[in-house]
Amino acid sequence: MKKPLILALIILSFSFTDCQPNRQPNKETTHAFANKIDSLLSLMTLDEKIGQLNQLTGNGEVTGPVTLSQNYQEAIRNGQVGSMLNVNGAAYTYKIQKIAVEESRLGIPLIFGYDVIHGYKTIFPIPLGESASWDLEAIETKCKGCCCRSCRRRTTLDFAPMVDIARDPRWGRIMEGAGEDPYLGSQIARARVRGFQGNDLSENNTIMACAKHFMAYGAAEAGRDYNTVDMSKRRLHEVYLPPFKAAVDEGVATIMTSFNEFNGIPMTGNKVYVNELLRHQWNFNGIVVSDWGSIAEMITHGAATDRKDAAEQAMNASVDMDMEGHAYLHHLKELVSNGVISQNQIDQAVKRILEKKFELGLFEDPYRYCDIEREATVTLSKKHRSLARESARKSMILLKNDHKTLPFSKNVKTIAVIGPLGESKVDMIGTWNARGEGKDAVSLVEGISNVVPDARILYAKGCETEGTSTSEFNKALQIAQKADIVIAAVGERAMMSGEALSRQDIRLPGMQEALVKKLASLKKPMAVVLFNGRPLVITEVAKVAPAILESWLAGTEAGNAIADVLFGDYNPSGKLPVTFPYSLGQVPVYYAHKNTGRPRIENSRYTSKYIDGPNKPLYPFGYGLSYTSFSYNNLLVPETMSGEETLLISVDVTNTGEWAGEEVVQLYINDSVASVTRPVKALKKFKKILLQPGKTQTVQFELTTDDLAFYNRNWKWVAEPGYFTIFVGGNSENTLSRDFQLVYNNKN
Ligand code: BGC
């Protein structure tokens, strides 16, 4: 117990006034802590250094397979642990930190990691749903205000945001990301990193973010989680890497490697991408943490003979922290004594970890993340609940609304809610719900009774979410017959999306589609409310349902937020961050596809098409309706742009309906002829605006050559002269368009 005190004196003997951690940890920042880190490093044995690289799971949720178990409290005492994940609650975090600080030889505080993916206790919409808001400010505020303030009571490192682009809705983890588009994904990645980290990690309401999973994890073959990824360098750089680069540019503190192999090499041992691209080309100075056991999993991949070999490969790839892999702790020492891994490699990794501990202010106050009182007051507070309701409302997308079925009048007397998810609470909070509890969530039936208290609500399940029984159909139909309006509550249970929860059939599971058809045959005013963590194939539903509201898995306040939208207290403005396929056979289907040499021509034999269905999806990227309508006019684009100029584009957007409403004005480009084929459309800008009925706003955008650039045939980042088309509209399909010419002397 005396020695940690000695350490404290040594550390405090350096002035803290020069410590100005900033968003992008540059050389100056590193220098600010360099003396302290060096002095600490000089006190550490090799075993203690290796201990800093070891991250173990605690007593909370187990978020992966436990392959080797270790008495972690004992290991902390022995200086064999630098970081923990899944430690439950501020009180327990305090206890564990106390062991590290008071009972280990050097008293180095621990980092505590946790998956706060969409809220902590108060659960917000799943990240895919939140992304449907296209509201960067709201996303940043949410991350700052709610996730940080509440989870910071026990967590130093949030394993979020997941910035993996995903274009295959079978993949269960599509719910954790921002959808299919690299530009939207990058903007959201930046907003989330800013929200979590703020400007200074030592401040009271910030937390280290972790951009995961590096890299291309979202491209798992056939949408099966953890599956092989094999793709071209071009696709990787154009589609899958931009959100990671954006997160790094925003100063993200940590990055997690992914489980998948990439072109034959598991990512956790992938020197070319982790060490060379991420560290050297992108200058990432933060911590690289493996995914759960992903160092040791190199053995099952068939890329390492044993844990020792795996540890060597991960170290050489410059992975600093071994999450629950037990490879570093047990094998690095031997690898160093054999001269296979150098002392310097270990020192560099330890330095990166210590630096973050200094930036977080842990050496000044190791217990700053263990505020029991604050944990109790902020979680599930009224304020958080109201932010969660607002965030949930923003995430909803009106997919269909024939004859203005929605919003329903609040004067209705009898409402039938039919479907297996109508009364569910636990399914509202999705997976990765960070100590959220179903009992705290508001079900759809509860939400409706809160918003329309005078109406009589009749509920029937109709069928289970899964299974083949239709025995409850008749009862449900009889109940629906008695009502003025029918709300079908159908979709996926929470445990049908998330990690290791891929699906082969992405239609409504069980007999729910048949139930919707039966309900629709009653010809009552009816809306289908979808609950789901991924795009679903709802083509049959869309044929019969007059109105469809996509509510995702909207969190603790789901029921209230859905009722707000259904009964007109909120005008929906969400837009799809990911395409909704017409059929599973189209997958992957995304708006930014290439043209091919034979694009589809109706009734023409040798063109790129299916003989049994359309090429077009059911609902395109960027799509979403409102209770009002918007018209787009006067798209103005200069005819030419020179290499140095900024292109000024404007369009008039008018609210032509009767409601005040928000619209996401989207700008896409196409480069008609290039040295490398370009997507038919690529999102480059968007703005979310609020318009009163009858009002027009001129929305302006600026494009630079960087927005037009891509890696050309010689792998140079360049905008090639020639003709481009600008498309502007409220989704990726219905747009106004104008051409312009980029004129300059391109030498690349
Ligand atoms: C997931 C990560 C997560 C980690 C820790 C892994 O199984 O892939 O996203 O952060 O567990 O819970």
Side-chain angles (χ1 to χ4, degrees):
M1 233 172 268
K2 273 182 200 150
K3 282 170 185 152
L5 187 65
I6 293 170
L7 171 68
L9 290 175
I10 291 171
I11 291 163
L12 288 170
S13 69
F14 293 97
S15 153
F16 276 87
T17 51
D18 56 347
C19 305
Q20 301 275 327
N22 63 12
R23 185 174 285 166
Q24 177 66 34
N26 54 27
K27 283 196 181 112
E28 262 172 61
T29 316
T30 309
H31 183 70
F33 296 110
N35 291 340
K36 299 178 192 75
I37 293 169
D38 286 344
S39 82
L40 184 47
L41 214 57
S42 70
L43 297 174
M44 296 170 81
T45 63
L46 179 58
D47 285 318
E48 282 163 337
K49 289 177 184 173
I50 292 169
Q52 284 302 304
L53 313 185
N54 188 28
Q55 184 178 61
L56 292 182
T57 188
N59 63 332
E61 302 87 327
V62 175
T63 46
V66 178
T67 50
L68 279 184
S69 55
Q70 194 165 0
N71 177 338
Y72 60 87
Q73 299 198 15
E74 200 45 39
I76 294 168
R77 253 175 225 114
N78 296 335
Q80 293 178 318
V81 184
S83 162
M84 295 287 298
L85 77 154
N86 298 340
V87 172
N88 258 351
Y92 197 67
T93 308
Y94 183 89
K95 180 178 163 192
I96 298 296
Q97 188 71 300
K98 207 162 157 37
I99 298 176
V101 173
E102 293 188 7
E103 299 179 41
S104 74
R105 188 180 81 93
L106 290 172
I108 301 174
L110 299 166
I111 286 173
F112 292 94
Y114 195 52
D115 293 279
V116 184
I117 307 298
H118 52 121
Y120 175 73
K121 291 255 193 193
T122 313
I123 304 304
F124 287 71
I126 54 168
L128 186 63
E130 185 185 59
S131 304
S133 71
W134 296 51
D135 190 332
L136 302 176
E137 220 178 287
I139 293 173
E140 181 177 339
T141 308
K142 192 287 305 273
C143 292
K144 185 176 289 163
C146 299
C147 296
C148 293
R149 276 180 211 283
S150 45
C151 70
R152 204 185 140 110
R153 299 316 108 224
R154 36 84 47 110
T155 302
T156 343
L157 161 61
D158 186 1
F159 297 126
M162 186 188 97
V163 304
D164 293 304
I165 295 297
R167 293 179 164 183
D168 191 329
R170 290 171 294 185
W171 192 50
R173 300 196 81 168
I174 197 169
M175 56 81 74
E176 284 177 61
E180 75 181 42
D181 185 64
Y183 178 76
L184 179 63
S186 300
Q187 300 304 311
I188 292 179
R190 278 180 177 271
R192 289 185 171 143
V193 170
R194 277 197 304 272
F196 289 133
Q197 296 192 172
N199 288 322
D200 182 348
L201 283 179
S202 72
E203 271 173 15
N204 199 21
N205 58 351
T206 57
I207 189 169
M208 287 201 290
C210 178
K212 68 186 190 184
H213 308 80
F214 191 76
M215 58 184 209
Y217 181 42
E221 255 177 26
R224 178 158 54 77
D225 207 2
Y226 317 124
N227 206 3
T228 309
V229 176
D230 204 314
M231 72 165 66
S232 70
K233 180 176 168 189
R234 175 163 303 282
R235 177 166 286 184
L236 174 73
H237 281 264
E238 290 188 354
V239 179
Y240 290 88
L241 285 179
F244 285 99
K245 179 69 167 61
V248 169
D249 290 345
E250 201 60 48
V252 72
T254 76
I255 289 201
M256 187 186 292
T257 58
S258 55
F259 288 123
N260 56 287
E261 66 163 74
F262 182 83
N263 296 354
I265 301 174
M267 276 315 301
T268 304
N270 202 320
K271 200 173 164 183
V272 171
Y273 286 102
V274 186
N275 192 38
E276 285 163 30
L277 180 83
L278 180 63
R279 289 268 189 235
H280 291 111
Q281 288 180 40
W282 292 1
N283 240 340
F284 176 68
N285 300 325
I287 299 171
V288 176
V289 54
S290 79
D291 203 343
W292 178 294
S294 67
I295 297 185
E297 281 176 21
M298 280 195 264
I299 306 165
T300 15
H301 272 289
T305 44
D306 50 22
R307 270 179 215 258
K308 187 167 84 174
D309 184 13
E312 179 187 334
Q313 292 189 42
M315 240 307 134
N316 283 334
S318 97
V319 173
D320 303 316
M321 200 181 264
D322 177 2
M323 183 199 291
E324 221 9 67
H326 306 273
Y328 282 0
L329 187 70
H330 298 298
H331 301 288
L332 275 186
K333 193 171 183 188
E334 188 187 341
L335 289 166
V336 173
S337 356
N338 294 344
V340 178
I341 293 293
S342 70
Q343 264 289 352
N344 184 47
Q345 281 175 284
I346 306 283
D347 285 357
Q348 292 311 317
V350 176
K351 276 182 178 181
R352 287 189 282 260
I353 291 168
L354 292 179
E355 182 171 16
K356 291 294 169 238
K357 293 186 176 183
F358 275 106
E359 282 184 26
L360 287 160
L362 286 178
F363 286 98
E364 290 160 83
D365 177 8
Y367 303 109
R368 59 193 317 162
Y369 292 88
C370 321
D371 188 335
I372 303 160
E373 242 171 65
R374 194 151 165 195
E375 181 179 58
T377 53
V378 290
T379 49
L380 280 167
S381 65
K382 216 171 153 193
K383 188 175 161 209
H384 281 189
R385 275 187 170 275
S386 103
L387 275 163
R389 184 166 179 167
E390 182 60 14
S391 175
R393 293 172 358 157
K394 280 176 183 280
S395 74
M396 305 216 176
I397 305 179
L398 186 61
L399 293 175
K400 188 174 176 194
N401 197 20
D402 281 0
H403 316 298
K404 298 191 176 173
T405 305
L406 289 176
F408 290 133
S409 158
K410 284 189 177 175
N411 296 326
V412 286
K413 298 224 156 31
T414 312
I415 302 167
V417 178
I418 312 285
L421 292 158
E423 280 192 334
S424 174
K425 289 155 91 72
V426 73
D427 293 304
M428 300 301 103
I429 59 175
T431 48
W432 291 120
N433 50 41
R435 303 196 75 207
E437 291 182 72
K439 71 172 177 46
D440 298 319
V442 181
S443 73
L444 177 57
V445 166
E446 287 169 340
I448 295 172
S449 65
N450 292 338
V451 170
V452 203
D454 297 334
R456 190 161 73 107
I457 302 168
L458 307 173
Y459 173 69
K461 218 174 190 180
C463 60
E464 300 297 330
T465 43
E466 291 138 288
T468 53
S469 172
T470 54
S471 62
E472 297 286 305
F473 271 26
N474 279 345
K475 190 175 147 205
L477 289 170
Q478 279 162 17
I479 286 176
Q481 274 292 15
K482 291 184 200 153
D484 303 318
I485 59 168
V486 177
I487 297 168
V490 291
E492 299 178 321
R493 284 182 296 108
M495 282 304 288
M496 295 179 84
S497 62
E499 185 173 352
L501 294 167
S502 296
R503 289 183 66 203
Q504 289 189 355
D505 182 348
I506 54 168
R507 288 174 300 173
L508 289 178
M511 300 311 292
Q512 297 182 84
E513 196 173 283
L515 178 66
V516 171
K517 283 184 179 166
K518 290 272 184 207
L519 291 171
S521 71
L522 300 178
K523 302 286 174 209
K524 298 246 174 195
M526 169 176 156
V528 170
V529 177
L530 293 175
F531 297 88
N532 44 308
R534 57 161 61 74
L536 296 174
V537 170
I538 50 159
T539 308
E540 293 304 309
V541 172
K543 280 180 191 158
V544 297
I548 304 175
L549 180 69
E550 173 56 75
S551 82
W552 310 105
L553 304 169
T556 308
E557 286 289 318
N560 285 335
I562 298 168
D564 288 341
V565 175
L566 291 177
F567 292 91
D569 285 347
Y570 186 82
N571 184 1
S573 61
K575 300 277 187 177
L576 287 175
V578 61
T579 303
F580 265 47
Y582 180 90
S583 66
L584 182 58
Q586 293 180 321
V587 166
V589 54
Y590 46 90
Y591 83 94
H593 60 84
K594 300 289 185 75
N595 206 28
T596 82
R598 293 184 180 186
R600 181 184 177 119
I601 300 171
E602 227 39 67
N603 302 321
S604 178
R605 170 88 169 77
Y606 293 105
T607 62
S608 178
K609 62 178 185 307
Y610 301 99
I611 56 170
D612 57 352
N615 282 16
K616 285 199 172 181
L618 182 64
Y619 299 118
F621 176 82
Y623 171 85
L625 303 172
S626 161
Y627 292 153
T628 193
S629 48
F630 298 97
S631 75
Y632 285 71
N633 295 292
N634 301 327
L635 173 60
L636 298 180
V637 180
E639 282 180 6
T640 57
M641 173 191 189
S642 80
E644 296 82 44
E645 263 173 357
T646 297
L647 194 71
L648 292 179
I649 296 152
S650 70
V651 68
D652 293 340
V653 184
T654 306
N655 182 341
T656 50
E658 284 149 19
W659 289 66
E662 286 183 291
E663 169 74 332
V664 180
V665 184
Q666 303 158 40
L667 184 149
Y668 300 83
I669 67 155
N670 168 253
D671 186 343
S672 50
V673 181
S675 65
V676 176
T677 60
R678 310 304 305 141
V680 291
K681 274 177 193 161
L683 181 72
K684 290 294 162 184
K685 301 278 167 187
F686 62 87
K687 275 187 188 162
K688 190 162 187 173
I689 58 167
L690 169 66
L691 276 182
Q692 297 302 320
K695 293 285 178 214
T696 297
Q697 183 174 331
T698 301
V699 178
Q700 293 184 317
F701 296 103
E702 292 184 2
L703 288 185
T704 65
T705 47
D706 201 47
D707 297 311
L708 310 176
F710 61 96
Y711 289 106
N712 71 2
R713 223 175 256 210
N714 305 322
W715 207 256
K716 294 250 164 63
W717 181 253
V718 64
E720 293 182 346
Y723 285 95
F724 289 78
T725 307
I726 299 283
F727 306 87
V728 179
N731 65 62
S732 60
E733 238 172 61
N734 300 326
T735 51
L736 298 177
S737 65
R738 290 279 177 281
D739 293 346
F740 76 93
Q741 190 183 6
L742 175 66
V743 191
Y744 78 106
N745 189 8
N746 168 36
K747 299 202 182 86
N748 291 295

